[in-house]
């Protein structure tokens, strides 16, 4: 069944700029310039928008002293960090450095952070850039358990874990033989043992085709290149297995019963150039049968690639001709889809078309039926494919049966009803699929709703992450901020609550009820094996290796003078003995390019070569006390 | 005249926690623990605050689509960046990387940014940490001209300049023989040629005493160490001169007539330890006679230090016994002062006491009278010294004769009247100096008012930058955000407008009327001498040096395949040929740790060694178009 049969003009406004492109135009090569045309068009529209602010913008404001209702955890794009926002206020509560360096906290400066980030043989950082597209939480019983967040790095194919109690990154793993690690999602249950109803796996999609292994072979023959879908152990952060597929992986979703993971594919053509990637009229959403993959691994039915020891299962079509033993199911969906999202009732995955004006609703029990040999074609798992607008990308849910899809080209958020779409697909011409379309400003990418990716989706807020802000904010030169628009979806109509700015280039996020998050506000000193205490504080020398063990307590460090010799390899370990919450100390060493902080009861260390002589004031950089400026020690390097 | 004579209880509430410390306690060594005691006290008080939000907090909200009234440019502390906020909304409009690295824009990645930041012999960055305490704008005719911002780096004693049209850093200079470059201020006029009524100099205070030169000599004899006050040419960013002083420099202020610069000194004792720095009952504000210093330089009456060629004038007391030829004037002020600020009427500098509960008002014409031999003692330039509260740090002005001083220990902002303080100092016991005290949350550092450091001070907004947020926001683990509290000062009473969060650890800022700022939204391609155009695009090889000249236009780079050989030194230059505002492209090269952006019509380059073979997808990291994901080229490195 193709989308023409699904009915057009089903309640959607299709006039003016939103109707200027027919579906066929969007499907053809003319689509190459769509984004740009829409930009120009929007730029004109924007001027009116800024001059006449929207009446509905009366915000649900958080007054001074009031706390927000929700946390938003967002991936910060190619800034490499993750961020914590309060909603609805939009306050940035924290930046969490992950793949980037951050000289405030000392991420990439301290020995402890360098060990997490990874170093080269000479001790310098292996990577200092990153591209975080997605952040997802760990689950228990179908909702967030407040334990971990996971974020990806697309540039260097790394998965990072953040502890939600301290909101700091504690592990990073690099995926072997993967380039362009884009989508990620946690599992919600074990596929076999339903007692394990919490996250133990993280699934990682590999977007780009590369030679396998990527060691210089097959450079001129992309037909030999491939893509892997990876599974990481959430606890150990080690690779469990990988699955080679046809096409690529873009975003990832997982089922509530743990049996299925899926990834939308915009390049089923396995092409290496733009035109090739747009050649087919349909692309796919590939489903992974987790239980079967892990059974193959257990049975030793895998290969390895290059120097990697990670078991690789073959999920390509040629190796999976019998549905009853297949590990993958390729469900055809709209052209060059972007985004796959799980509905909170656990029944459906929705894939957006991007170059098709449709969303494809896939019923999970039908996918499982295909795996069991009870469904003829993978396409038969599709239960709806409504036309919703131009450039559909991502879909959020309100837990009341409605879906909210971002329309990149239309610069809109479309609210549509899943059951109505299914009825329409079955032939009900009276079904009212589209409920409302709302302009957003401008060109939305991801959207996400409060608790929307859990069984507790509460239908209160929707965030539309818009890629272009144009004239929504005071101009700041050629680089604009992005617009995060907060929309109240609790009533009958969508209501714009706020335009929040975001430093480019955030992607996805999750909105988490505040009661889910339980933070530790003070460290336990004994969590740090290298903690400096009065009994071991001081200077210890072995040859030219010097260990300086220092303590901080406002407004002084434990040693007013620290003396070493030029040429020494110095390890400086600092423990903050202050116990008052919020009483953080900094530690900067001028000319030695060192700065980091220690929170109350925390320990950190740096190692460096004292390669130039002189007197250097080691000083506190984090305002701690009325005598903060006077908190400094002499670090003397003898010639 | 000491501060006892200035009258106590002049309208100020002195009960409860705010009165628990007598002035003598604050002045004595008990002061060492003041910050901490206040913290504990505040933590308790805070719980009530969060549970019972303040009624006056109904904010002057900026609705979606509305633009802010003001820009705030803030120094972001030891994160090393500067930030641009919109006020009153508190939206973060931009982060400007300066001393830190930023893998989103490619600051510290591109050749152009590395040339500004400075590199070592091996081409790697010399420094990647920084500590920006102050940001100040360039002036014309006593107000901002919208041309430049200047920010300091305390860790590595660097001054950076930011172009306000593009809001990007364009120059950084390292100050020789200075450690702990803390305060900075631009001049507002030439001291001699009044036609030059705009910024041509930047003054930089050196806080820490160090051996001169700092090459390993005098490590054990701090009495031989010294501090320099530096003057930088705002246009060329080269050092003009330095002035050696007694004591240290903390913050800096400049007069509107260009004749005087000043720096408060918390360590007139020239001490090297905490107790020594608090020994004297009074410290000082040192004034610099700019005309005289530059006459000495012109006359060749200077020395140089170590390898530096910068002329150093002697501003120490011993060399300046005759006021009529002296280049410096040391005015005694309250103990361990922190902060010196110029009143917008051009008449006064106010120095806060920190360990003295007073603010000292110094009349500039009296300082000039001292330099002319018409005033007996420097202290006679003091025209008021009101007791205003505990832990006074910084003072802002409303242009209506009122001053607003942050009280770190009291966690308050105190509004007081300058003329009343002067009358009181003259003996008027009826003078009502303190107008109002307002609780802020908590432990304020800098405060700053709208246009408050110009002759156009408009008395609309005051920002209180508070060092501890405690429970004002949802908890995010051991590291708290800071609280930027926006206060409406336009009415009779101060009114709290908003609690904004700030990622630690911002310091100072300026609030600038939006009409002052004129940005460029699109670059001119010809501003970049290395711009890539169709006529020179492609690959050029000289031996093993390869220059890849690439263009971007959504949704493609100009070359789908780029082929080099392992071992090549590759320079990749990218020009963005898109002309639509906000249409930025990214450029990431996986496994090669490269990412940067090019704004419309901008050119940037990177140089790296192609040290490992394989196929790498050079891809667009900045969402540009519906086919953004498909915007990628094959970068092939042959073995």
């Amino acid at each position: 069944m193709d989308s023409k049969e699904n009915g057009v003009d089903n309640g959607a406004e299709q006039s003016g700029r939103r109707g200027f492109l027919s579906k066929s135009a969007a499907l053809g090569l003319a689509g190459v310039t769509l984004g740009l045309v829409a930009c120009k068009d929007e730029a004109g529209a924007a001027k009116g928008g800024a001059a006449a602010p929207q009446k509905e913008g009366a915000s649900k404001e958080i007054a001074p002293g009031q706390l927000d209702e929700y946390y938003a955890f967002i991936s910060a794009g190619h800034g490499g960090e993750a961020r914590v926002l309060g909603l609805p206020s939009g306050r940035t509560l924290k930046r969490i450095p992950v793949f980037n360096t951050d000289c405030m906290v000392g991420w990439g400066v301290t020995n402890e952070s360098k060990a997490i980030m990874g170093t080269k043989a000479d001790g310098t950082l292996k990577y200092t850039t990153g591209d975080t597209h997605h952040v997802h939480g760990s689950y228990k019983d179908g909702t967030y358990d407040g334990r971990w967040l996971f974020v990806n790095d697309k540039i260097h194919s790394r998965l990072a874990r953040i502890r939600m109690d301290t909101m700091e990154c504690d592990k990073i793993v690099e995926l072997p033989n993967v380039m362009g690690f884009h989508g990620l999602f946690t599992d919600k249950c074990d596929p076999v043992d339903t007692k394990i109803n919490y996250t133990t796996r993280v699934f990682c999609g590999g977007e780009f085709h590369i030679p396998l292994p990527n060691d210089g072979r097959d450079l001129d023959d992309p037909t030999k290149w491939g893509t892997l879908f990876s599974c990481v152990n959430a606890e150990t952060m080690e690779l469990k297995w990988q699955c080679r597929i046809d096409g690529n992986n873009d975003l990832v979703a997982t089922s509530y019963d743990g049996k299925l993971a899926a990834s939308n594919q915009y390049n089923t053509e396995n092409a290496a150039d733009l035109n090739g990637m747009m050649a087919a009229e349909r692309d796919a959403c590939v489903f992974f049968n987790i239980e079967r993959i892990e059974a193959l691994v257990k049975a030793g039915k895998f290969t390895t690639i290059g120097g990697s020891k990670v078991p690789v299962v073959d999920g390509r079509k040629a190796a999976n001709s019998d549905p009853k033993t297949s590990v993958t199911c390729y469900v055809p969906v709209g052209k060059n889809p972007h985004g796959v999202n799980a509905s909170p009732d656990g029944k459906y995955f929705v894939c957006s078309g991007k170059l098709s004006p449709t969303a494809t609703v896939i019923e999970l029990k039908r996918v499982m039926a295909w795996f069991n040999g009870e469904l003829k074609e993978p396409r038969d798992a599709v239960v709806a494919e409504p036309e919703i607008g131009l450039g559909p990308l991502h879909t959020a849910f309100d837990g009341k049966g409605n879906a909210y899809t971002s329309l990149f080209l239309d610069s809109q958020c479309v609210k549509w009803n899943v059951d109505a779409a299914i009825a329409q697909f079955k032939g009900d011409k009276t079904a009212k699929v589209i409920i409302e379309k709302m302009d957003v400003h401008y060109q939305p990418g991801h959207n996400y709703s409060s608790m929307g990716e859990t069984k507790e989706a509460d239908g209160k807020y929707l965030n539309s992450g818009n890629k272009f802000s144009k004239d929504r904010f005071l101009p700041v030169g050629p680089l604009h901020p992005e617009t995060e628009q907060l929309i109240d979806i609790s009533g009958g109509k969508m209501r714009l609550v706020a335009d929040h700015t975001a430093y480019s280039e955030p992607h996805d996020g999750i909105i988490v009820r505040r009661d889910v998050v339980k933070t530790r506000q003070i460290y336990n000193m004994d969590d740090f094996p290298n903690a400096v205490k009065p009994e071991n504080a001081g200077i210890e020398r072995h040859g030219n290796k010097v260990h300086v063990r220092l303590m901080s307590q406002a407004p002084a460090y434990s040693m007013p003078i620290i003396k070493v010799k030029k040429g020494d390899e110095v390890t400086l370990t600092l423990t903050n003995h202050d116990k008052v919450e919020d009483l953080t100390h900094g530690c900067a060493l001028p000319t030695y390019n060192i700065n980091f902080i220690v929170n109350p009861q925390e320990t950190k260390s740096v190692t460096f070569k004292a390669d130039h002589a002189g007197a250097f004031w080691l000083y506190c950089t984090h305002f701690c006390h009325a005598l903060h400026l006077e908190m400094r020690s002499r670090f003397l390097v003898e010639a």
Side-chain angles (χ1 to χ4, degrees), chain A residues 60-74 83-95 486 498-501 514:
Chain A
K60 245 187 114 164
E61 193 206 345
I62 296 297
Q66 275 187 330
L67 301 182
D68 276 298
E69 297 169 54
Y70 293 91
Y71 290 87
F73 299 99
I74 63 171
R83 290 181 206 144
V84 187
L85 269 58
L87 288 180
S89 76
R91 294 163 175 162
T92 300
L93 301 173
K94 191 168 189 173
R95 302 184 196 170
L486 189 68
D499 272 23
H500 297 135
T501 52
R514 70 183 187 191

Side-chain angles (χ1 to χ4, degrees), chain A residues 139 142-143 185 188 252-257 262 287 339-351 360-365 383 394-404 416-419 422 449 451-458:
Chain A
Y139 285 77
T143 191
F185 222 103
K188 295 154 186 154
V252 174
T254 61
S255 68
Y256 282 87
D257 63 7
F287 284 82
V340 54
N341 298 88
S343 65
D345 59 10
K347 293 182 185 170
Y348 310 109
F349 281 7
V350 174
C351 255
T360 304
V361 182
I362 302 166
E363 190 171 22
L364 301 191
K365 74 176 182 192
V383 293
H394 302 282
T395 299
F397 300 91
D398 62 7
K400 301 165 190 167
N402 300 309
Y404 301 75
W416 54 281
N417 186 273
V418 177
D419 284 344
I422 294 169
S449 57
M451 300 297 286
E453 300 191 269
T454 75
K455 287 196 165 178
E456 298 186 306
D458 61 16

Side-chain angles (χ1 to χ4, degrees), chain A residues 204 316 340 395 498 515:
Chain A
C204 311
R316 287 174 291 184
V340 54
T395 299
D515 63 276

Side-chain angles (χ1 to χ4, degrees), chain A residues 138-392:
Chain A
S138 55
Y139 285 77
K140 185 169 188 183
D141 205 13
T143 191
Y144 299 124
D145 64 1
R147 190 170 182 204
W148 291 316
L149 298 169
F150 297 89
V151 294
N152 74 309
D153 166 28
K154 182 168 170 177
I155 302 179
H156 297 116
S157 296
R158 290 173 293 171
L159 175 70
R161 186 174 72 188
I162 293 166
R163 290 173 54 158
M164 283 180 79
D165 60 349
T166 60
M167 297 199 187
E168 291 174 338
C169 173
D170 75 340
K171 289 265 191 187
I172 295 178
V173 61
E174 189 170 345
L175 309 179
N177 295 304
V178 171
M179 189 174 294
F181 163 27
H182 188 175
L184 93 86
F185 222 103
T186 42
D187 74 347
K188 295 154 186 154
C189 190
D190 187 85
V192 178
D193 183 353
T194 55
K195 286 197 298 294
I196 303 175
N197 67 340
Y198 52 86
T199 292
T200 60
R201 298 168 184 80
V202 185
F203 299 110
C204 311
E207 188 179 334
F208 301 155
H209 289 71
I210 52 169
L212 296 170
N214 193 15
D215 56 4
R217 73 184 67 188
D218 303 331
L219 293 189
D220 298 316
D221 189 359
T223 63
K224 292 185 177 165
W225 301 3
T227 317
L228 306 178
F229 183 79
S230 303
C231 177
V232 173
N233 182 314
E235 183 80 47
T236 66
M237 289 290 280
E238 290 167 352
L239 270 288
K240 281 173 76 89
W241 47 259
Q242 296 180 303
C243 180
R244 182 166 177 177
I245 57 166
D246 291 314
N248 67 350
N249 299 291
D250 190 22
L251 272 69
V252 174
T254 61
S255 68
Y256 282 87
D257 63 7
K259 296 193 182 302
L260 294 171
S263 181
N264 66 291
Q265 304 188 289
Y266 67 77
N267 186 18
T268 51
E269 300 91 341
N270 292 312
D273 58 21
L274 185 64
N275 289 349
M277 293 180 200
M278 296 194 301
E281 275 305 297
R282 282 207 183 280
D283 284 293
C285 181
V286 54
F287 284 82
F288 298 89
N289 187 314
I290 307 304
E291 181 180 356
R292 286 186 189 169
I293 290 173
E294 298 192 350
L296 287 183
V297 172
K298 202 169 176 183
K301 294 181 178 171
F302 60 80
T303 57
T304 59
I305 297 172
S308 165
K309 298 222 172 357
V310 179
V312 179
V313 170
D314 194 341
R316 287 174 291 184
K317 290 172 185 169
N320 290 273
S321 52
D322 179 2
K324 288 190 176 175
T325 58
S326 180
V327 297
T328 48
C329 171
Y330 295 80
V331 177
V333 302
K335 186 185 180 82
N336 286 50
H338 187 55
V340 54
N341 298 88
S343 65
D345 59 10
K347 293 182 185 170
Y348 310 109
F349 281 7
V350 174
C351 255
S352 301
K354 193 170 78 176
L355 297 194
S356 161
T358 55
T360 304
V361 182
I362 302 166
E363 190 171 22
L364 301 191
K365 74 176 182 192
R366 293 192 184 212
V367 175
M368 288 308 294
W370 182 87
F371 276 120
N372 294 331
E374 297 157 7
L375 199 72
K376 196 174 169 196
E377 298 293 338
R379 176 71 189 170
D380 295 336
V382 171
V383 293
E385 198 159 62
E387 272 199 41
I388 55 174
L390 294 182

